[in-house]
């Protein structure tokens, strides 16, 4: 008991491992590596060399494997979460950057930025089953939790492309603000949130009508507007709060997901890029590309607890219970 209490004190209030013992996997774009972080200790425990320029990362439904986009190797690597060894690869098309998994864990939908397309991968068969032409420089991609839609955002075309999952054809295109980056559905599949990096905005769309519900801007005292570049998004399962990484502004915006209003800004590391929840959604982890660390945020208090150095240019992250 004394040891547990001492550990909690040493970690500045971070809970004991029994309360939060997940493992955080972080892709390191410049190191061609994967960092492994013990969340309870707030400590980097291992770094593994993987493919070139790793970015997007997704945990399999059974949590036994990680899928990592090795962008400069034109493949998605499969990594065993226990042995931490590369055990396979999936055909991803050229320059895979971000990708999303369907609710059943059967397919991956990959953004191919150089080819202006989305590649659909059958995971079990280890084969690409279709390519879907989209706009110029596709970046963000998301699958609706109800399994009806795949949405791809194209940075240069400034569009969201609505792909019907039944036939994998584009059903609609929606104009968005300049340089859309990330997109995310709410857990009830009724809303789609899209960040626009150059415009400095977040637009919330009604999925039923595919029309904008509200556009949200960001203003931070002491930070110039050109540094506010919204990228990664996470929305909690109860749609109480949404969180948006603001890039060079070094902040995460906290958004009341019912009123669709910014309620707070949390100071994290430099060039915050992507976000991921803990399994119980009581914490949020961020990758901070320029300061080469991740931040651990307590979501009950909306307080940044700790930063953990992980390696050069952390980009994506996945969390295993």
């Amino acid at each position: 008991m004394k040891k547990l209490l001492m550990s909690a004190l040493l970690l500045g209030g971070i809970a004991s491992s029994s309360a939060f013992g997940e493992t955080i996997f972080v892709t390191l774009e410049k190191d061609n590596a994967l960092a492994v972080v013990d969340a309870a200790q707030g400590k980097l425990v291992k770094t593994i060399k993987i493919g070139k320029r790793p970015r997007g990362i997704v945990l399999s439904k059974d949590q036994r494997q990680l899928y990592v986009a090795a962008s400069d190797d034109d493949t998605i690597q499969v990594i065993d979460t226990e042995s931490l060894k590369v055990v396979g690869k999936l055909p991803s098309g050229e320059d895979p950057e971000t990708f999303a998994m369907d609710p059943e864990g059967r397919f991956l939908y990959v953004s191919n930025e150089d080819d202006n397309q989305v590649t659909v991968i059958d995971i079990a068969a280890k084969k690409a089953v279709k390519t879907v032409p989209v706009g110029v420089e596709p970046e963000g991609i998301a699958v609706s939790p109800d399994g009806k839609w795949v949405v791809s955002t194209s940075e240069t075309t400034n569009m969201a492309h609505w792909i019907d999952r039944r036939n994998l054809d584009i059903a609609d295109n929606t104009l968005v603000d300049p340089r859309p980056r990330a997109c995310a559905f709410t857990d009830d599949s009724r809303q789609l949130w899209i960040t626009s990096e150059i415009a400095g905005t977040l637009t919330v769309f009604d999925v039923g009508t595919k029309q904008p519900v509200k556009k949200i801007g960001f203003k931070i005292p002491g930070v110039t507007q050109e540094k506010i570049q919204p990228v990664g998004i996470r929305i909690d399962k109860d749609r109480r709060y949404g969180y948006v990484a603001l890039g060079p502004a070094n902040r995460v915006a906290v958004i009341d997901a019912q009123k669709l209003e910014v309620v707070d800004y949390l100071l994290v590391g430099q060039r915050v890029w992507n976000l991921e929840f803990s399994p119980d959604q009581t914490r949020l982890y961020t990758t901070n590309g320029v300061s080469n660390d991740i931040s651990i945020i307590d979501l009950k208090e909306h307080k940044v607890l700790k930063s953990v150095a992980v390696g050069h240019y952390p980009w994506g992250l996945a969390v295993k219970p």
Side-chain angles (χ1 to χ4, degrees):
M1 186 66 181
K2 288 181 179 179
K3 288 182 179 180
L4 287 174
L5 289 172
M6 182 61 71
S7 296
L9 289 171
L10 288 173
L11 293 171
I14 296 179
S16 70
S17 59
S18 61
F20 97 79
E22 59 258 20
T23 300
I24 309 164
F25 299 99
V26 185
T27 54
L28 303 175
E29 188 178 357
K30 297 296 185 183
D31 289 341
N32 299 329
L34 181 73
V36 183
V37 176
D38 183 308
Q41 296 184 52
K43 180 181 177 182
L44 175 68
V45 294
K46 198 168 188 177
T47 303
I48 302 100
K49 286 291 182 181
I50 54 174
K52 295 177 182 176
R53 195 167 165 251
R55 304 192 85 184
I57 180 171
V58 170
L59 187 67
S60 66
K61 292 297 180 181
D62 63 9
Q63 300 169 356
R64 294 179 180 178
Q65 295 180 325
L66 286 167
Y67 305 112
V68 176
S71 298
D72 286 355
D73 286 335
D74 298 332
T75 191
I76 290 179
Q77 294 190 318
V78 183
I79 299 169
D80 183 276
T81 56
E82 294 300 323
S83 68
L84 299 177
K85 293 182 179 180
V86 177
V87 294
K89 62 181 181 179
L90 300 172
S92 62
E94 290 189 16
D95 192 25
E97 188 166 323
T98 59
F99 57 97
M101 182 184 291
D102 72 333
E104 298 83 24
R106 293 182 56 207
F107 296 96
L108 294 177
Y109 302 87
V110 186
S111 296
N112 298 124
E113 191 170 37
D114 290 348
D115 288 345
N116 305 328
Q117 67 184 23
V118 170
T119 298
V120 184
I121 302 172
D122 182 318
I123 297 172
K126 297 182 179 179
K127 64 184 291 186
V129 295
K130 187 167 184 178
T131 57
V132 183
V134 291
V136 179
E137 291 188 284
E139 170 84 12
I141 193 156
V143 183
S144 61
D146 63 10
K148 292 182 179 179
W149 297 105
V150 178
V151 170
S152 168
T153 61
S154 52
E155 296 177 30
T156 301
T157 310
N158 298 328
M159 279 187 174
H161 310 282
W162 300 78
I163 302 169
D164 188 324
R165 275 196 70 220
R166 294 170 299 180
N167 54 28
L168 296 176
D169 291 328
I170 291 180
D172 209 345
N173 298 292
T174 305
L175 281 171
V176 295
D177 280 352
R179 199 171 172 83
R181 297 307 296 252
C183 56
F185 286 92
T186 52
D187 202 59
D188 58 11
S189 299
R190 293 182 178 180
Q191 289 183 349
L192 175 71
W193 294 24
I194 299 176
T195 51
S196 294
E197 189 176 29
I198 289 178
T201 59
L202 167 74
T203 305
V204 178
F205 289 86
D206 179 272
V207 172
T209 64
K210 301 181 182 62
Q211 296 299 310
V213 175
K214 190 170 184 180
K215 188 180 294 185
I216 300 170
F218 305 95
K219 290 186 181 297
I220 305 170
V223 178
T224 57
Q225 284 301 120
E226 62 268 19
K227 286 189 175 181
I228 300 175
Q229 300 175 15
V231 278
I233 308 167
R234 281 295 178 264
I235 310 156
D236 69 34
K237 62 182 184 299
D238 298 321
R239 211 207 296 177
R240 293 181 61 228
Y241 293 103
Y243 304 91
V244 177
L246 297 180
N250 306 335
R251 306 294 200 285
V252 171
V254 182
I255 297 170
D256 184 315
Q258 294 298 312
K259 296 179 180 178
L260 298 178
E261 296 175 353
V262 178
V263 295
D264 203 357
Y265 295 102
L266 307 177
L267 180 63
V268 290
Q270 297 175 37
R271 192 57 172 95
V272 55
W273 190 258
N274 283 303
L275 318 165
E276 192 55 86
F277 286 120
S278 63
D280 62 5
Q281 296 197 349
T282 61
R283 289 166 304 286
L284 186 71
Y285 304 108
T286 78
T287 51
N288 311 315
V290 174
S291 53
N292 299 322
D293 58 11
I294 66 170
S295 296
I296 302 175
I297 301 171
D298 178 350
L299 296 183
K300 291 181 180 178
E301 301 291 334
H302 281 145
K303 179 182 179 182
V304 179
L305 298 176
K306 187 179 179 70
S307 64
V308 182
V310 290
H312 295 99
Y313 275 68
W315 196 93
L317 67 170
V319 183
K320 180 179 180 289

